[in-house]
């Protein structure tokens, strides 16, 4: 693009950019979304509240429950090292068919606190993840937490 607009060769532009101007060409880092100033300020205020609460109550951090979700593909490929074999001299390299990713996947939901996992469950592919689904998940989490407190 620069070479065309200046009517120069790509090689000349590359040399000028890298050697003369000491520029590097870097790929952009993808981020899920950008936050507005208001959202950033809200996060700062929430963080400050959490820090103040933790300063007042040393056991506060032990009361936090958080969760995560991850899609799990239903295949377990061997690593290159796992598939290595001892071979005789003169024998060719062993062949291994590359495993293709499974189209079947399951969402794993895990909830944990400072002591470890409290609750986990799998969500089947094909069923819709909605607010009602998460409400049911949180009810099951709450039941589990109540059982463990007793």
């Amino acid at each position: 693009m620069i070479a065309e607009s200046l009517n120069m060769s790509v090689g000349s532009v590359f040399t000028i950019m890298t050697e003369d101007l000491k520029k590097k060409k870097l790929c952009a880092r993808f981020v899920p979304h950008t936050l507005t100033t208001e959202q950033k300020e809200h996060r700062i205020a929430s963080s400050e509240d959490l820090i103040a609460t933790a300063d007042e109550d040393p056991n506060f951090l032990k009361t936090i429950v958080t969760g995560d979700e991850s899609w799990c593909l239903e295949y377990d490929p061997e690593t290159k090292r796992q598939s290595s074999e001892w071979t005789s001299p003169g024998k060719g390299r062993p062949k291994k068919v590359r495993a293709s990713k499974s189209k079947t996947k399951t969402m794993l939901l895990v909830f944990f606190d400072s002591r470890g996992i409290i609750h986990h469950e799998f969500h089947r592919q094909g069923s819709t993840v909605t607010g009602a689904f998460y409400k049911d998940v949180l009810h099951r989490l709450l039941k589990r937490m109540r059982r463990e407190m007793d």
Side-chain angles (χ1 to χ4, degrees):
M1 200 181 330
I2 295 173
E4 289 175 16
S5 65
L6 297 175
N7 198 21
M8 296 174 68
S9 72
V10 174
S12 296
V13 170
F14 182 80
T15 302
I16 292 168
M17 296 296 282
T18 57
E19 294 177 15
D20 298 338
L21 299 176
K22 307 289 187 222
K23 299 281 186 181
K24 291 182 191 177
K25 191 168 192 176
L26 298 176
C27 295
R29 182 170 31 136
F30 286 100
V31 294
H33 58 272
T34 56
L35 300 176
T36 65
T37 302
E38 183 181 331
Q39 290 169 324
K40 290 176 187 177
E41 289 170 355
H42 183 270
R43 285 189 178 192
I44 290 169
S46 298
S47 298
E48 288 171 343
D49 288 345
L50 287 170
I51 291 169
T53 305
D55 287 342
E56 292 170 13
D57 179 5
N59 292 320
F60 171 70
L61 293 177
K62 293 179 182 174
T63 66
I64 294 176
V65 174
T66 190
D68 195 16
E69 60 187 42
S70 181
W71 283 106
C72 304
L73 295 171
E74 293 183 0
Y75 80 111
D76 189 18
E78 275 187 332
T79 65
K80 196 171 185 177
R81 182 172 298 265
Q82 287 172 326
S83 64
S84 64
E85 301 174 11
W86 290 103
T87 59
S88 301
K91 191 175 176 190
R93 180 185 301 262
K95 291 190 171 112
K96 181 90 174 158
V97 176
R98 185 179 304 267
S100 61
K101 289 185 178 179
S102 170
K103 292 185 181 183
T104 306
K105 59 184 180 179
T106 304
M107 183 191 296
L108 171 62
L109 297 131
V110 181
F111 297 91
F112 48 94
D113 64 7
S114 63
R115 292 168 290 171
I117 295 175
I118 300 170
H119 177 71
H120 73 278
E121 59 183 77
F122 293 94
H123 179 62
R124 288 187 184 87
Q125 179 184 14
S127 49
T128 307
V129 176
T130 62
F133 165 77
Y134 269 105
K135 181 180 174 187
D136 291 342
V137 169
L138 292 175
H139 279 293
R140 289 189 290 276
L141 170 64
L142 188 57
K143 281 182 186 176
R144 175 70 59 94
M145 290 172 63
R146 286 183 177 148
R147 273 196 311 244
E148 289 189 14
M149 291 164 97
D150 294 337

